[in-house]
Structures are given as structure tokens and as C-alpha cells.
Amino acid sequence: MTRFHALTAALLGWSALTAPALAQDDPIVLKIATLGPEEDEDFAGSQVFKNHVESASNGALSVEIYPNGRFCSNADECSEALLDGRLDIFMTTNGGLAGWYPPAQFLDLPYLFPNDRVAECVFDGPLKAQLRDAVLTDVGAVRLMAMSNTGGWRNIATTDKQVKTPADVAGLKLRTIAADVQVQLVEALGGSPTPIAWPEVYTSLGTGVVEGTKNGITDIVGMGFEDHLKYIILDGHAYMGALWWINEGTFQALDDAQKRIVYDGFQELKWTARQLPKLKSVEAFDTFRAAGGEVYSPTPEEKAAFQDAAQPVWTWYEEQFGRDWIDAATQAVATCETELDAEYEDAAR
């Protein structure tokens, strides 16, 4: 045997012996699916998550992002893939979570959250852990890792008249999603709830099938609804929460150091996904006004009137699911308001 053949044989033998070890060094791949485009907050947050996780793990963890519905085409398909482990990470809206854990509709109870700071404080507090544990117990398969925002706040926007009080909603045909809490709210305000698929809303507004909708400003402008919608009241009846989930089997397969890296990555994702809708809303409101739209901020008295008019929705929820989540959420809000008031008082001394 020549020296070349001997060296080749030795190298082949070494490769065969070490092949399993090299395979063990392959990175663990985490797959994230989002339904929105690369321009939205979910994709931006996912990029921050990817950068943190891959850097902090020194390449032991790899993140693949599938935006624009490339992995799964709708929320139901993505949720199914997340639950059965084909997908590792996915974000649901409050309504999307209610599809597999119906009591989660408490997150959309009208006027639960007074502002961004309180909502973010609640989402970072004990309520998140309560919701995580409840879903792990009742649904299994997925773990709640972070709560962010997807589009700001739902407000009432109309085509032909400015809404300022609940009485102004009476008789209006308002587009809503096919979610119980959203339908109940329009009915409580005296309007006519009209569930319409998202791709059909533009035409429905233009033809008078509906006279308004309940959406965030970035969604309104993103779909060109300002062509038909001319009035918005900033009633802020729902904070558009985004709940980020990881498949439980995926998470438990990580070692302790990797779990911490992934958890920290979700906190970076959360911060990014919360801030981007706020930034985008500035330009969106400018676009809406430039198209001839008017934006109205209700007085404290008018806001209180909306809260009073919406009470039947809270009663409906209690009849369906009991008071446990209502009490947990309202207590969390009260605690955060107290903490934020104390923070302000200290800062203003």
C-alpha cells in the first residue's frame, strides 16, 4: 500500500469513527412561522429573537423564520402545526388563543386595559404565568413565553359620521371578527355586528354593506380603508395582544442553558414587537388625516359611558366562564396602576 493510500484509508477510518460525533454538533433548529409580511412587528421581533438565540448559543441553536404564511397559510393551520410539533414557535392573537382555550377571551373584554403601560405591565406580571399554567394543564403541548402587541388598539372607525358616545353606535352596521366578545360588544352598544372576512372588508365598506369597523390604525391604513373610513374615535376598547408560544416538547428537549437563552430571546422579541406598532401608528394616523379622516379622542366622561355600556359583555363572559379570569385580570390591572402611580410620584418629586 502506498503512503497516499494508507493516508486515505486512515482518514476514511477517522471520518467513520467521528461521523456520529459531528452529527451531534449539528445545530438545533427552531422554526418560527408568521402570517404577516416582512414589514410587520412579528417578523421584526422574530429577527431579533434569531439574532439573540444564535449569537448567545454560539451557533448551537439555529432559527428559521417563515413569514407571509410560507409554513402554514392561516392561524388554524399554524396552531395545529405548533400543537403537534411540526412548528416550534408561533404567535396567536387573543382571539386565536380562544380557539383552543375559550376562557382566554377575557383578554378582549372591552376597556379592560386603560393604556399601553398598564397592558404591558400586566403582560409582564403574574397573570402571564397563570395563563401559561392554565394552557399547559388544559391544552398541553405549548408553553407561553412572552406577550407583545400586534397592531396597537382596536378603535371604532366609521364611514359617514363621527362616533363620540355609545348612542352614536346605535343602528350602525359594524364589521367585526367572528369572535363572541367582539360581536357582543357591538350588540351592547346598540350596533349591528356583521362578521366579514378580512379580504372582503374594503369592498364592504365601499358598497355600504357595513358602515364601519373595529381595527387598529395600522391595519386600517395598511389595507387602504382610509379610502372609505373618514372618522375614528380612540375609544381603545381592546388591546391587540400577541401571545408567543413554543412547543412544549421542543422546549423540554433543550438543556438548561439553552432554555435560558431561548427565554431571554423571547423577551427581546417582545420588546421589539411592542414598540414597532407604536412607531408605525404615527405615520398611519398622518396618512389617515391626509386622506381627509378625522380622529376624535373621547373625554373621560365619554370613555366612562362606553365602559358602562359595555358591561353586558362582562356579564356574558361571567355566565360562560365564571369570574376567575375576570378577577385575576382586574386585580392585575389595579396592581399595575398602583405601581405606575407610585413610579410617577417618585419621578415627579
Side-chain angles (χ1 to χ4, degrees), residues 37-269:
E38 286 90 340
E39 293 77 21
D40 78 7
E41 60 275 359
D42 300 332
F43 183 74
S46 297
Q47 286 182 304
V48 171
F49 176 87
K50 173 182 172 69
N51 180 68
H52 174 84
V53 167
E54 292 182 346
S55 299
S57 70
N58 199 25
L61 299 174
S62 176
V63 178
E64 296 177 356
I65 307 172
Y66 298 88
N68 277 314
R70 291 174 190 162
F71 189 95
C72 37
S73 61
N74 57 57
D76 288 341
E77 286 184 10
C78 293
S79 293
E80 182 179 345
L82 176 72
L83 289 164
D84 68 24
R86 288 176 289 125
L87 179 64
D88 300 298
I89 297 167
F90 181 59
M91 181 280 291
T92 67
T93 61
N94 299 338
L97 170 58
W100 27 286
Y101 183 67
Q105 293 181 75
F106 81 89
L107 289 166
D108 273 339
L109 284 171
Y111 310 107
L112 170 63
F113 301 111
N115 54 53
D116 284 288
R117 291 206 69 201
V118 170
E120 291 166 3
C121 171
V122 170
F123 278 14
D124 288 340
L127 188 72
K128 184 190 79 172
Q130 290 178 251
L131 185 57
R132 177 201 65 208
D133 293 346
V135 173
L136 278 170
T137 298
D138 289 10
V139 180
V142 291
R143 174 176 292 262
L144 180 60
M145 299 297 284
M147 301 171 74
S148 62
N149 182 272
T150 178
W153 293 82
R154 289 189 185 277
N155 296 300
I156 297 173
T158 47
T159 56
D160 298 319
K161 76 171 186 177
Q162 178 68 71
V163 170
K164 293 186 177 181
T165 70
D168 295 328
V169 181
L172 282 179
K173 295 177 291 184
L174 292 182
R175 182 266 174 180
T176 183
I177 60 175
D180 292 333
V181 167
Q182 301 298 333
V183 170
Q184 291 281 332
L185 174 59
V186 176
E187 290 181 348
L189 297 178
S192 176
T194 309
I196 293 175
W198 188 240
E200 301 170 12
V201 176
Y202 182 91
T203 300
S204 298
L205 289 167
T207 57
V209 172
V210 289
E211 301 162 283
T213 184
K214 299 180 335 75
N215 291 109
I217 186 61
T218 55
D219 288 336
I220 287 172
V221 171
M223 295 295 286
F225 294 166
E226 72 275 11
D227 292 346
H228 307 303
L229 294 171
K230 296 304 173 186
Y231 304 94
I232 292 176
I233 177 172
L234 302 181
D235 68 301
H237 55 268
Y239 182 81
M240 298 172 68
L243 297 91
W244 289 88
W245 306 88
I246 188 168
N247 178 271
E248 178 69 354
T250 297
F251 186 70
Q252 294 303 337
L254 303 175
D255 64 33
D256 288 344
Q258 292 167 341
K259 287 178 180 177
R260 180 59 186 266
I261 289 169
V262 166
Y263 176 80
D264 288 346
F266 273 107
Q267 309 322 302
E268 298 292 334
L269 178 159

Side-chain angles (χ1 to χ4, degrees), residues 114-115 117-118 121 333-349:
N115 54 53
R117 291 206 69 201
V118 170
C121 171
V333 168
T335 298
C336 282
E337 288 180 319
T338 299
E339 291 175 357
L340 293 171
D341 286 346
E343 177 186 318
Y344 167 74
E345 291 170 4
D346 179 68
R349 287 192 304 185

